[in-house]
mmCIF file of all heavy atoms in Angstrom:
data_model
loop_
_atom_site.group_PDB
_atom_site.id
_atom_site.type_symbol
_atom_site.label_atom_id
_atom_site.label_comp_id
_atom_site.label_asym_id
_atom_site.label_seq_id
_atom_site.Cartn_x
_atom_site.Cartn_y
_atom_site.Cartn_z
ATOM 1 N N MET T 1 29.462 -44.368 22.088
ATOM 2 C CA MET T 1 30.394 -45.036 22.984
ATOM 3 C C MET T 1 29.670 -45.994 23.919
ATOM 4 O O MET T 1 30.235 -47.008 24.327
ATOM 5 C CB MET T 1 31.208 -44.008 23.778
ATOM 6 C CG MET T 1 32.254 -43.295 22.921
ATOM 7 S SD MET T 1 33.218 -42.043 23.820
ATOM 8 C CE MET T 1 34.149 -43.069 24.960
ATOM 9 N N ARG T 2 28.421 -45.692 24.239
ATOM 10 C CA ARG T 2 27.643 -46.613 25.069
ATOM 11 C C ARG T 2 27.376 -47.932 24.355
ATOM 12 O O ARG T 2 27.153 -48.958 25.003
ATOM 13 C CB ARG T 2 26.305 -45.957 25.449
ATOM 14 C CG ARG T 2 26.386 -44.872 26.510
ATOM 15 C CD ARG T 2 26.594 -45.435 27.895
ATOM 16 N NE ARG T 2 25.546 -46.359 28.277
ATOM 17 C CZ ARG T 2 24.391 -46.004 28.837
ATOM 18 N NH1 ARG T 2 24.141 -44.725 29.084
ATOM 19 N NH2 ARG T 2 23.498 -46.913 29.165
ATOM 20 N N VAL T 3 27.372 -47.926 23.018
ATOM 21 C CA VAL T 3 27.197 -49.173 22.266
ATOM 22 C C VAL T 3 28.537 -49.662 21.712
ATOM 23 O O VAL T 3 28.589 -50.363 20.710
ATOM 24 C CB VAL T 3 26.156 -49.010 21.132
ATOM 25 C CG1 VAL T 3 24.793 -48.734 21.705
ATOM 26 C CG2 VAL T 3 26.561 -47.927 20.142
ATOM 27 N N LYS T 4 29.616 -49.247 22.365
ATOM 28 C CA LYS T 4 30.963 -49.716 22.067
ATOM 29 C C LYS T 4 31.418 -49.328 20.659
ATOM 30 O O LYS T 4 32.036 -50.122 19.937
ATOM 31 C CB LYS T 4 31.071 -51.229 22.264
ATOM 32 C CG LYS T 4 30.740 -51.660 23.685
ATOM 33 C CD LYS T 4 30.979 -53.140 23.924
ATOM 34 C CE LYS T 4 30.704 -53.493 25.373
ATOM 35 N NZ LYS T 4 30.949 -54.913 25.671
ATOM 36 N N SER T 5 31.107 -48.102 20.274
ATOM 37 C CA SER T 5 31.555 -47.577 18.996
ATOM 38 C C SER T 5 32.151 -46.195 19.236
ATOM 39 O O SER T 5 32.371 -45.797 20.385
ATOM 40 C CB SER T 5 30.389 -47.521 18.001
ATOM 41 O OG SER T 5 30.846 -47.190 16.704
ATOM 42 N N ILE T 6 32.389 -45.458 18.171
ATOM 43 C CA ILE T 6 32.946 -44.111 18.287
ATOM 44 C C ILE T 6 32.634 -43.370 16.999
ATOM 45 O O ILE T 6 32.403 -43.984 15.953
ATOM 46 C CB ILE T 6 34.474 -44.158 18.545
ATOM 47 C CG1 ILE T 6 34.982 -42.829 19.105
ATOM 48 C CG2 ILE T 6 35.238 -44.540 17.284
ATOM 49 C CD1 ILE T 6 36.395 -42.916 19.666
ATOM 50 N N ASP T 7 32.585 -42.042 17.075
ATOM 51 C CA ASP T 7 32.283 -41.231 15.900
ATOM 52 C C ASP T 7 33.238 -40.049 15.840
ATOM 53 O O ASP T 7 33.193 -39.160 16.687
ATOM 54 C CB ASP T 7 30.835 -40.736 15.950
ATOM 55 C CG ASP T 7 30.410 -40.037 14.666
ATOM 56 O OD1 ASP T 7 31.280 -39.754 13.831
ATOM 57 O OD2 ASP T 7 29.205 -39.771 14.498
ATOM 58 N N LEU T 8 34.105 -40.049 14.832
ATOM 59 C CA LEU T 8 35.077 -38.971 14.639
ATOM 60 C C LEU T 8 34.762 -38.127 13.412
ATOM 61 O O LEU T 8 35.600 -37.370 12.945
ATOM 62 C CB LEU T 8 36.490 -39.560 14.513
ATOM 63 C CG LEU T 8 36.980 -40.384 15.706
ATOM 64 C CD1 LEU T 8 38.360 -40.969 15.417
ATOM 65 C CD2 LEU T 8 37.020 -39.535 16.973
ATOM 66 N N SER T 9 33.531 -38.259 12.893
ATOM 67 C CA SER T 9 33.181 -37.534 11.671
ATOM 68 C C SER T 9 32.581 -36.159 11.942
ATOM 69 O O SER T 9 32.264 -35.427 11.006
ATOM 70 C CB SER T 9 32.185 -38.357 10.843
ATOM 71 O OG SER T 9 30.955 -38.524 11.542
ATOM 72 N N GLY T 10 32.422 -35.806 13.204
ATOM 73 C CA GLY T 10 31.757 -34.556 13.545
ATOM 74 C C GLY T 10 32.415 -33.329 12.960
ATOM 75 O O GLY T 10 31.734 -32.383 12.548
ATOM 76 N N GLY T 11 33.746 -33.308 12.915
ATOM 77 C CA GLY T 11 34.448 -32.148 12.369
ATOM 78 C C GLY T 11 34.100 -31.920 10.909
ATOM 79 O O GLY T 11 33.877 -30.782 10.469
ATOM 80 N N GLY T 12 34.045 -33.005 10.139
ATOM 81 C CA GLY T 12 33.686 -32.885 8.730
ATOM 82 C C GLY T 12 32.244 -32.448 8.546
ATOM 83 O O GLY T 12 31.934 -31.640 7.652
ATOM 84 N N VAL T 13 31.346 -32.972 9.383
ATOM 85 C CA VAL T 13 29.935 -32.585 9.313
ATOM 86 C C VAL T 13 29.785 -31.091 9.598
ATOM 87 O O VAL T 13 29.076 -30.364 8.886
ATOM 88 C CB VAL T 13 29.092 -33.403 10.314
ATOM 89 C CG1 VAL T 13 27.660 -32.887 10.365
ATOM 90 C CG2 VAL T 13 29.113 -34.881 9.944
ATOM 91 N N ILE T 14 30.466 -30.625 10.628
ATOM 92 C CA ILE T 14 30.387 -29.207 10.996
ATOM 93 C C ILE T 14 30.919 -28.325 9.869
ATOM 94 O O ILE T 14 30.311 -27.305 9.513
ATOM 95 C CB ILE T 14 31.171 -28.956 12.298
ATOM 96 C CG1 ILE T 14 30.420 -29.584 13.480
ATOM 97 C CG2 ILE T 14 31.376 -27.459 12.540
ATOM 98 C CD1 ILE T 14 31.189 -29.572 14.778
ATOM 99 N N LEU T 15 32.038 -28.715 9.284
ATOM 100 C CA LEU T 15 32.627 -27.907 8.212
ATOM 101 C C LEU T 15 31.721 -27.871 6.988
ATOM 102 O O LEU T 15 31.528 -26.818 6.367
ATOM 103 C CB LEU T 15 33.997 -28.464 7.839
ATOM 104 C CG LEU T 15 34.796 -27.644 6.823
ATOM 105 C CD1 LEU T 15 35.071 -26.246 7.365
ATOM 106 C CD2 LEU T 15 36.102 -28.337 6.466
ATOM 107 N N LEU T 16 31.133 -29.010 6.628
ATOM 108 C CA LEU T 16 30.262 -29.064 5.458
ATOM 109 C C LEU T 16 29.024 -28.197 5.661
ATOM 110 O O LEU T 16 28.643 -27.415 4.762
ATOM 111 C CB LEU T 16 29.846 -30.510 5.191
ATOM 112 C CG LEU T 16 28.868 -30.726 4.020
ATOM 113 C CD1 LEU T 16 29.493 -30.253 2.715
ATOM 114 C CD2 LEU T 16 28.453 -32.190 3.928
ATOM 115 N N ILE T 17 28.396 -28.301 6.812
ATOM 116 C CA ILE T 17 27.207 -27.492 7.080
ATOM 117 C C ILE T 17 27.562 -26.019 7.149
ATOM 118 O O ILE T 17 26.828 -25.158 6.641
ATOM 119 C CB ILE T 17 26.528 -27.975 8.380
ATOM 120 C CG1 ILE T 17 25.949 -29.382 8.172
ATOM 121 C CG2 ILE T 17 25.442 -27.005 8.830
ATOM 122 C CD1 ILE T 17 25.391 -30.015 9.420
ATOM 123 N N ASN T 18 28.693 -25.709 7.756
ATOM 124 C CA ASN T 18 29.139 -24.319 7.790
ATOM 125 C C ASN T 18 29.314 -23.754 6.388
ATOM 126 O O ASN T 18 28.898 -22.624 6.096
ATOM 127 C CB ASN T 18 30.454 -24.206 8.562
ATOM 128 C CG ASN T 18 31.076 -22.831 8.436
ATOM 129 O OD1 ASN T 18 32.067 -22.653 7.730
ATOM 130 N ND2 ASN T 18 30.492 -21.861 9.093
ATOM 131 N N TYR T 19 29.890 -24.553 5.504
ATOM 132 C CA TYR T 19 30.100 -24.087 4.136
ATOM 133 C C TYR T 19 28.766 -23.878 3.423
ATOM 134 O O TYR T 19 28.567 -22.870 2.727
ATOM 135 C CB TYR T 19 30.952 -25.085 3.360
ATOM 136 C CG TYR T 19 31.121 -24.703 1.907
ATOM 137 C CD1 TYR T 19 32.052 -23.739 1.530
ATOM 138 C CD2 TYR T 19 30.323 -25.285 0.918
ATOM 139 C CE1 TYR T 19 32.188 -23.359 0.203
ATOM 140 C CE2 TYR T 19 30.455 -24.910 -0.410
ATOM 141 C CZ TYR T 19 31.394 -23.949 -0.767
ATOM 142 O OH TYR T 19 31.513 -23.564 -2.075
ATOM 143 N N CYS T 20 27.844 -24.819 3.594
ATOM 144 C CA CYS T 20 26.545 -24.707 2.920
ATOM 145 C C CYS T 20 25.797 -23.452 3.354
ATOM 146 O O CYS T 20 25.090 -22.825 2.553
ATOM 147 C CB CYS T 20 25.696 -25.939 3.215
ATOM 148 S SG CYS T 20 26.299 -27.462 2.434
ATOM 149 N N ILE T 21 25.948 -23.059 4.619
ATOM 150 C CA ILE T 21 25.221 -21.901 5.129
ATOM 151 C C ILE T 21 25.925 -20.592 4.777
ATOM 152 O O ILE T 21 25.282 -19.596 4.438
ATOM 153 C CB ILE T 21 25.029 -22.017 6.650
ATOM 154 C CG1 ILE T 21 24.127 -23.208 6.970
ATOM 155 C CG2 ILE T 21 24.457 -20.734 7.244
ATOM 156 C CD1 ILE T 21 23.970 -23.489 8.449
ATOM 157 N N SER T 22 27.252 -20.584 4.858
ATOM 158 C CA SER T 22 27.984 -19.322 4.743
ATOM 159 C C SER T 22 28.538 -19.026 3.362
ATOM 160 O O SER T 22 29.031 -17.928 3.112
ATOM 161 C CB SER T 22 29.152 -19.322 5.746
ATOM 162 O OG SER T 22 30.068 -20.365 5.439
ATOM 163 N N SER T 23 28.474 -19.977 2.442
ATOM 164 C CA SER T 23 29.102 -19.778 1.137
ATOM 165 C C SER T 23 28.231 -19.008 0.154
ATOM 166 O O SER T 23 28.713 -18.553 -0.884
ATOM 167 C CB SER T 23 29.455 -21.130 0.518
ATOM 168 O OG SER T 23 28.274 -21.894 0.290
ATOM 169 N N GLY T 24 26.952 -18.898 0.454
ATOM 170 C CA GLY T 24 26.065 -18.194 -0.460
ATOM 171 C C GLY T 24 25.555 -19.030 -1.613
ATOM 172 O O GLY T 24 24.997 -18.498 -2.577
ATOM 173 N N ILE T 25 25.708 -20.356 -1.547
ATOM 174 C CA ILE T 25 25.242 -21.198 -2.652
ATOM 175 C C ILE T 25 23.724 -21.354 -2.641
ATOM 176 O O ILE T 25 23.146 -21.858 -3.602
ATOM 177 C CB ILE T 25 25.913 -22.595 -2.613
ATOM 178 C CG1 ILE T 25 25.601 -23.310 -1.294
ATOM 179 C CG2 ILE T 25 27.410 -22.480 -2.829
ATOM 180 C CD1 ILE T 25 26.150 -24.717 -1.222
ATOM 181 N N PHE T 26 23.091 -20.928 -1.537
ATOM 182 C CA PHE T 26 21.630 -20.936 -1.479
ATOM 183 C C PHE T 26 21.141 -19.515 -1.177
ATOM 184 O O PHE T 26 20.677 -19.218 -0.066
ATOM 185 C CB PHE T 26 21.134 -21.902 -0.391
ATOM 186 C CG PHE T 26 21.560 -23.323 -0.595
ATOM 187 C CD1 PHE T 26 22.545 -23.890 0.197
ATOM 188 C CD2 PHE T 26 20.982 -24.101 -1.598
ATOM 189 C CE1 PHE T 26 22.944 -25.213 0.015
ATOM 190 C CE2 PHE T 26 21.372 -25.424 -1.791
ATOM 191 C CZ PHE T 26 22.359 -25.968 -0.989
ATOM 192 N N PRO T 27 21.251 -18.616 -2.128
ATOM 193 C CA PRO T 27 20.882 -17.209 -1.887
ATOM 194 C C PRO T 27 19.407 -17.063 -1.542
ATOM 195 O O PRO T 27 18.530 -17.666 -2.165
ATOM 196 C CB PRO T 27 21.210 -16.530 -3.222
ATOM 197 C CG PRO T 27 21.175 -17.632 -4.238
ATOM 198 C CD PRO T 27 21.666 -18.847 -3.524
ATOM 199 N N GLY T 28 19.167 -16.289 -0.489
ATOM 200 C CA GLY T 28 17.793 -16.017 -0.092
ATOM 201 C C GLY T 28 17.108 -17.143 0.654
ATOM 202 O O GLY T 28 15.897 -17.067 0.911
ATOM 203 N N ALA T 29 17.845 -18.184 1.012
ATOM 204 C CA ALA T 29 17.237 -19.314 1.722
ATOM 205 C C ALA T 29 16.787 -18.895 3.118
ATOM 206 O O ALA T 29 17.403 -18.037 3.762
ATOM 207 C CB ALA T 29 18.219 -20.471 1.806
ATOM 208 N N SER T 30 15.717 -19.508 3.591
ATOM 209 C CA SER T 30 15.179 -19.184 4.915
ATOM 210 C C SER T 30 15.903 -19.958 6.008
ATOM 211 O O SER T 30 16.633 -20.923 5.733
ATOM 212 C CB SER T 30 13.686 -19.522 4.965
ATOM 213 O OG SER T 30 13.500 -20.929 4.840
ATOM 214 N N LEU T 31 15.655 -19.562 7.238
ATOM 215 C CA LEU T 31 16.237 -20.274 8.378
ATOM 216 C C LEU T 31 15.757 -21.714 8.400
ATOM 217 O O LEU T 31 16.536 -22.636 8.662
ATOM 218 C CB LEU T 31 15.858 -19.571 9.682
ATOM 219 C CG LEU T 31 16.311 -20.252 10.979
ATOM 220 C CD1 LEU T 31 17.837 -20.292 11.062
ATOM 221 C CD2 LEU T 31 15.721 -19.541 12.195
ATOM 222 N N GLY T 32 14.482 -21.932 8.121
ATOM 223 C CA GLY T 32 13.937 -23.284 8.103
ATOM 224 C C GLY T 32 14.631 -24.179 7.097
ATOM 225 O O GLY T 32 14.878 -25.356 7.355
ATOM 226 N N PHE T 33 14.951 -23.605 5.925
ATOM 227 C CA PHE T 33 15.654 -24.378 4.902
ATOM 228 C C PHE T 33 17.026 -24.806 5.397
ATOM 229 O O PHE T 33 17.427 -25.971 5.235
ATOM 230 C CB PHE T 33 15.797 -23.552 3.628
ATOM 231 C CG PHE T 33 16.670 -24.201 2.578
ATOM 232 C CD1 PHE T 33 16.143 -25.156 1.721
ATOM 233 C CD2 PHE T 33 18.015 -23.860 2.460
ATOM 234 C CE1 PHE T 33 16.940 -25.764 0.760
ATOM 235 C CE2 PHE T 33 18.820 -24.469 1.507
ATOM 236 C CZ PHE T 33 18.283 -25.411 0.653
ATOM 237 N N TYR T 34 17.758 -23.873 6.000
ATOM 238 C CA TYR T 34 19.109 -24.201 6.487
ATOM 239 C C TYR T 34 19.054 -25.243 7.599
ATOM 240 O O TYR T 34 19.898 -26.153 7.649
ATOM 241 C CB TYR T 34 19.804 -22.936 6.996
ATOM 242 C CG TYR T 34 20.318 -22.034 5.905
ATOM 243 C CD1 TYR T 34 19.985 -20.679 5.887
ATOM 244 C CD2 TYR T 34 21.139 -22.519 4.898
ATOM 245 C CE1 TYR T 34 20.465 -19.833 4.889
ATOM 246 C CE2 TYR T 34 21.621 -21.692 3.886
ATOM 247 C CZ TYR T 34 21.274 -20.350 3.894
ATOM 248 O OH TYR T 34 21.749 -19.524 2.908
ATOM 249 N N VAL T 35 18.079 -25.120 8.487
ATOM 250 C CA VAL T 35 17.946 -26.093 9.575
ATOM 251 C C VAL T 35 17.627 -27.472 9.012
ATOM 252 O O VAL T 35 18.239 -28.481 9.400
ATOM 253 C CB VAL T 35 16.861 -25.648 10.572
ATOM 254 C CG1 VAL T 35 16.569 -26.766 11.580
ATOM 255 C CG2 VAL T 35 17.297 -24.388 11.306
ATOM 256 N N ALA T 36 16.687 -27.539 8.072
ATOM 257 C CA ALA T 36 16.329 -28.821 7.461
ATOM 258 C C ALA T 36 17.507 -29.418 6.708
ATOM 259 O O ALA T 36 17.763 -30.632 6.773
ATOM 260 C CB ALA T 36 15.132 -28.631 6.513
ATOM 261 N N LEU T 37 18.249 -28.568 5.985
ATOM 262 C CA LEU T 37 19.422 -29.038 5.248
ATOM 263 C C LEU T 37 20.470 -29.613 6.195
ATOM 264 O O LEU T 37 21.031 -30.689 5.949
ATOM 265 C CB LEU T 37 20.019 -27.887 4.440
ATOM 266 C CG LEU T 37 21.312 -28.187 3.670
ATOM 267 C CD1 LEU T 37 21.061 -29.212 2.570
ATOM 268 C CD2 LEU T 37 21.902 -26.896 3.081
ATOM 269 N N ALA T 38 20.714 -28.911 7.291
ATOM 270 C CA ALA T 38 21.727 -29.356 8.256
ATOM 271 C C ALA T 38 21.325 -30.676 8.907
ATOM 272 O O ALA T 38 22.128 -31.614 8.994
ATOM 273 C CB ALA T 38 21.944 -28.281 9.316
ATOM 274 N N LEU T 39 20.072 -30.755 9.359
ATOM 275 C CA LEU T 39 19.624 -31.965 10.042
ATOM 276 C C LEU T 39 19.607 -33.160 9.100
ATOM 277 O O LEU T 39 19.987 -34.277 9.490
ATOM 278 C CB LEU T 39 18.236 -31.746 10.639
ATOM 279 C CG LEU T 39 18.120 -30.656 11.716
ATOM 280 C CD1 LEU T 39 16.711 -30.618 12.278
ATOM 281 C CD2 LEU T 39 19.141 -30.856 12.828
ATOM 282 N N THR T 40 19.191 -32.935 7.859
ATOM 283 C CA THR T 40 19.189 -34.029 6.887
ATOM 284 C C THR T 40 20.607 -34.507 6.604
ATOM 285 O O THR T 40 20.877 -35.714 6.526
ATOM 286 C CB THR T 40 18.528 -33.571 5.573
ATOM 287 O OG1 THR T 40 17.186 -33.151 5.837
ATOM 288 C CG2 THR T 40 18.515 -34.700 4.554
ATOM 289 N N THR T 41 21.524 -33.555 6.461
ATOM 290 C CA THR T 41 22.933 -33.901 6.230
ATOM 291 C C THR T 41 23.480 -34.744 7.373
ATOM 292 O O THR T 41 24.123 -35.783 7.154
ATOM 293 C CB THR T 41 23.779 -32.625 6.072
ATOM 294 O OG1 THR T 41 23.294 -31.863 4.952
ATOM 295 C CG2 THR T 41 25.246 -32.969 5.848
ATOM 296 N N GLY T 42 23.212 -34.314 8.601
ATOM 297 C CA GLY T 42 23.707 -35.062 9.754
ATOM 298 C C GLY T 42 23.107 -36.449 9.846
ATOM 299 O O GLY T 42 23.809 -37.426 10.139
ATOM 300 N N LEU T 43 21.803 -36.561 9.588
ATOM 301 C CA LEU T 43 21.140 -37.863 9.654
ATOM 302 C C LEU T 43 21.676 -38.823 8.593
ATOM 303 O O LEU T 43 21.915 -40.005 8.872
ATOM 304 C CB LEU T 43 19.631 -37.688 9.480
ATOM 305 C CG LEU T 43 18.880 -37.089 10.679
ATOM 306 C CD1 LEU T 43 17.451 -36.744 10.291
ATOM 307 C CD2 LEU T 43 18.894 -38.047 11.865
ATOM 308 N N VAL T 44 21.884 -38.325 7.365
ATOM 309 C CA VAL T 44 22.386 -39.187 6.288
ATOM 310 C C VAL T 44 23.800 -39.671 6.599
ATOM 311 O O VAL T 44 24.113 -40.864 6.441
ATOM 312 C CB VAL T 44 22.345 -38.434 4.942
ATOM 313 C CG1 VAL T 44 23.093 -39.219 3.866
ATOM 314 C CG2 VAL T 44 20.906 -38.193 4.511
ATOM 315 N N ILE T 45 24.652 -38.759 7.054
ATOM 316 C CA ILE T 45 26.027 -39.143 7.378
ATOM 317 C C ILE T 45 26.047 -40.109 8.568
ATOM 318 O O ILE T 45 26.787 -41.101 8.576
ATOM 319 C CB ILE T 45 26.877 -37.896 7.670
ATOM 320 C CG1 ILE T 45 27.059 -37.088 6.382
ATOM 321 C CG2 ILE T 45 28.247 -38.285 8.254
ATOM 322 C CD1 ILE T 45 27.768 -35.766 6.574
ATOM 323 N N GLY T 46 25.227 -39.845 9.578
ATOM 324 C CA GLY T 46 25.152 -40.743 10.721
ATOM 325 C C GLY T 46 24.639 -42.122 10.341
ATOM 326 O O GLY T 46 25.152 -43.140 10.813
#
């Protein structure tokens, strides 16, 4: 908003990351893996 824009995609980002972590599609994944996956997802979408 400081650069005169807006971002309404946060809800979708949160839902996608929530699904990736809680759905079990990455069985046995470490905390570091989930954090890296989430941050990469957010950076790519942003």
Side-chain angles (χ1 to χ4, degrees):
M1 287 179 67
R2 285 285 302 274
V3 295
K4 301 186 177 181
S5 188
I6 198 167
D7 187 349
L8 301 177
S9 64
V13 173
I14 289 172
L15 186 61
L16 177 61
I17 293 174
N18 171 254
Y19 176 80
C20 291
I21 295 175
S22 63
S23 63
I25 59 176
F26 300 107
S30 66
L31 176 64
F33 172 83
Y34 283 128
V35 171
L37 176 65
L39 298 184
T40 301
T41 300
L43 286 170
V44 170
I45 292 174

